[in-house]
């Protein structure tokens, strides 16, 4: 079993932790935008089908 000293753990978190936090932040923002787009596409599809059922 390998024993890692605390300075190595702190250095690892400093080097890897920041990119992980930024990645999660960006993924959450993208997820919100995708959900908004999904709702708008659904709304447009429903409104176009209600306008007489014409095929595009």
């Amino acid at each position: 079993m390998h024993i890692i000293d605390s300075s190595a753990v702190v250095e690892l978190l400093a080097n890897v932790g920041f990119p992980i936090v930024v990645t999660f932040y960006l993924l959450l923002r993208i997820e919100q935008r995708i959900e908004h787009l999904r709702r708008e596409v659904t709304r447009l599809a429903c409104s176009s089908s209600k306008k007489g059922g014409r095929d595009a």
Side-chain angles (χ1 to χ4, degrees):
M1 178 185 292
H2 296 279
I3 297 176
I4 301 174
D5 60 344
S6 61
S7 63
V9 172
V10 170
E11 184 178 341
L12 182 64
L13 286 174
N15 290 334
V16 179
F18 179 73
I20 290 173
V21 170
V22 170
T23 300
F24 279 122
Y25 173 75
L26 293 175
L27 285 173
L28 288 174
R29 287 185 50 106
I30 290 172
E31 180 184 14
Q32 291 170 356
R33 290 178 185 216
I34 289 174
E35 181 61 27
H36 175 72
L37 287 172
R38 186 193 63 77
R39 285 192 307 259
E40 289 298 314
V41 167
T42 302
R43 184 185 62 81
L44 287 171
C46 289
S47 67
S48 69
S49 67
K50 289 179 183 178
K51 289 185 177 185
R54 289 180 270 161
D55 291 336

